[in-house]
Amino acid sequence: MGRCRVGSRRGCRVYAPNPPELLDAIISPSDTANVVVGKLTDYFAAGTSLVWLVYPVYRQVEAHMPGQKTLIFTESGTLEASDLLPGFGCKVTQSLQ
């Protein structure tokens, strides 16, 4: 059996064999803290190494990695994932468009 959840929160958990190492998720104003934490828990349980939570309303992005402090990037920042994508960089403003 693989690792990435498919289906609803109420359904059984089925996991795909190759979860993404890097995932970005746009967070809606209607998403509660419990929903966001639940998403992060699912992503990390599936094997994802880095999650960028994009908050368009607040014009910022949070970078989450298992067991590490959350990094917050504002519009003037640049997102990087040097361990996963050497040389990659994306301005936060690009992720908010």
Side-chain angles (χ1 to χ4, degrees):
M1 184 178 287
R3 300 185 44 118
C4 186
R5 187 182 80 139
V6 176
S8 73
R9 288 184 110 37
R10 291 178 286 154
C12 69
R13 292 176 186 259
V14 178
Y15 295 99
N18 298 310
E21 289 189 49
L22 167 63
L23 187 139
D24 67 333
I26 297 174
I27 304 303
S28 166
S30 63
D31 285 337
T32 65
N34 286 340
V35 168
V36 173
V37 169
K39 287 179 181 182
L40 280 173
T41 300
D42 287 346
Y43 298 149
F44 293 141
T48 298
S49 302
L50 171 60
V51 177
W52 288 332
L53 297 180
V54 180
Y55 290 87
V57 171
Y58 300 111
R59 311 293 298 166
Q60 69 182 31
V61 177
E62 293 178 359
H64 294 265
M65 295 159 281
Q68 296 188 28
K69 290 184 180 182
T70 300
L71 301 175
I72 298 174
F73 297 89
T74 61
E75 285 184 274
S76 61
T78 300
L79 300 170
E80 296 178 346
S82 57
D83 290 348
L84 301 174
L85 299 169
F88 173 82
C90 174
K91 293 191 181 285
V92 170
T93 53
Q94 290 175 308
S95 68
L96 295 171
Q97 296 177 353

